[in-house]
Amino acid sequence: MTMEKGVPIRAITRGLSVLQAVNRGGSITMMEIARTSQVPYPTACRIVQTLLHEGMIEREPARKRYRATALVQSLASGYHDDSHLVEVARPHIEALTDKLLWPISITSRVGAHMMVRDSTHTRTSLTLNNYYPGFTLPIMECSSGKAYMAFCSDAERGHLLDGLRTIEGAAEKMATLLLSNDNLLREVRNQGYATQSRNAYTANPGKTSSIAVPLFRGEEVVGAITIIFFSVAMTMEKAVAQFVAPLSATARTISAELTGTLGR
């Protein structure tokens, strides 16, 4: 029997989507799990029962809500994070939040998602949720992902696009469509920043918008710095006029420090 290369195992893909939904949701209902993971409700129920049996998630006492257990940490036991990016960026994003008042996040690419490495959501009241390290967003459904994809190498972008074509889901289909030509990414490269209005994949869908600028270590893009603001607070045009200059200046400072430590 031969195995077709590049074709994912659907059950595993769906199982991971459900586990990610629970992990991100903190405390989440069965209906929310199915909707967030984009897995049919009956299938999501069976996966949840499996994850309960394996001890990865648990049902809250007296409530029909589910949450991850400490056992999920075992999935990351072999992972080594780039803590240097967070170490360098932290004082700068704190200073920028103190200046602009809105929360700032640092993200990097993990597969077909952008993962929050650090953020200042707990430093300001102008936020709806605290996004802790590990929260992920579909790569082409967030400003940080667009900024990253615009400045990464052609080889990396092509490899990611090949992977996206094998994954089911609305976000992956939209990413494939957006990456089918270079128009969007060329625009991001030309202006130096990316935007996302009314982000649909946050903890409060449609409530916030964002602007992101890429971060570099030498010539290599390593992530993005993003400012997040309430969608009803201002138009994107006003936000660009107010935030892009200080956001870009902070990105240049962080990138310079990251680049200055190359080879040390």
Side-chain angles (χ1 to χ4, degrees):
M1 182 178 69
T2 60
M3 181 180 296
E4 186 178 351
K5 293 182 178 180
V7 177
I9 299 175
R10 192 178 190 185
I12 295 178
T13 298
R14 286 179 164 180
L16 290 172
S17 296
V18 167
L19 182 56
Q20 287 175 334
V22 176
N23 194 41
R24 289 173 56 177
S27 175
I28 189 170
T29 67
M30 192 65 245
M31 188 65 72
E32 291 169 336
I33 292 171
R35 185 180 67 249
T36 304
S37 65
Q38 298 182 19
V39 171
Y41 186 87
T43 303
C45 289
R46 292 196 298 273
I47 293 172
V48 164
Q49 290 301 314
T50 301
L51 294 174
L52 286 167
H53 178 267
E54 295 298 330
M56 289 290 177
I57 67 174
E58 62 185 5
R59 180 172 167 175
E60 295 184 10
R63 294 207 305 171
K64 293 183 178 181
R65 302 183 74 87
Y66 301 87
R67 62 194 180 196
T69 69
L71 193 59
V72 299
Q73 297 180 60
S74 65
L75 299 176
S77 60
Y79 173 69
H80 301 286
D81 194 8
D82 185 6
S83 59
H84 186 232
L85 172 61
V86 173
E87 179 184 350
V88 170
R90 183 65 196 183
H92 299 294
I93 65 174
E94 288 183 348
L96 190 58
T97 294
D98 292 345
K99 177 181 179 181
L100 300 180
L101 303 181
W102 296 102
I104 307 293
S105 68
I106 297 293
T107 57
S108 61
R109 184 176 79 82
V110 177
H113 293 78
M114 295 300 288
M115 178 180 286
V116 174
R117 298 301 188 186
D118 196 11
S119 79
T120 60
H121 283 82
T122 59
R123 197 177 180 88
T124 175
S125 61
L126 296 179
T127 184
L128 297 173
N129 284 278
N130 295 329
Y131 292 93
Y132 296 100
F135 188 87
T136 58
L137 291 161
I139 195 162
M140 291 301 289
E141 293 289 341
C142 59
S143 58
S144 61
K146 294 174 184 176
Y148 185 95
M149 291 297 286
F151 289 91
C152 71
S153 68
D154 292 341
E156 182 178 1
R157 191 181 307 112
H159 177 73
L160 179 59
L161 182 56
D162 288 341
L164 286 168
R165 293 192 181 106
T166 69
I167 303 174
E168 295 182 0
E172 288 74 23
K173 290 179 180 178
M174 178 57 69
T176 302
L177 178 62
L178 292 173
L179 291 171
S180 62
N181 61 63
D182 197 45
N183 293 341
L184 173 61
L185 300 185
R186 187 187 305 115
E187 180 182 2
V188 173
R189 283 191 291 270
N190 289 339
Q191 62 191 17
Y193 64 88
T195 64
Q196 181 72 29
S197 297
R198 298 187 178 277
N199 199 313
Y201 289 89
T202 59
N204 301 92
K207 300 295 186 179
T208 60
S209 298
S210 63
I211 303 172
V213 175
L215 295 171
F216 296 90
R217 183 186 289 115
E219 298 297 321
E220 177 191 10
V221 61
V222 293
I225 178 173
T226 307
I227 186 167
I228 303 97
F229 55 95
F230 300 151
S231 300
V232 297
M234 64 183 75
T235 64
M236 184 60 75
E237 291 75 14
K238 182 177 179 181
V240 166
Q242 185 174 341
F243 299 144
V244 166
L247 191 66
S248 297
T250 300
R252 287 193 296 270
T253 299
I254 295 172
S255 296
E257 292 188 21
L258 289 171
T259 301
T261 60
L262 278 173
R264 292 186 182 180

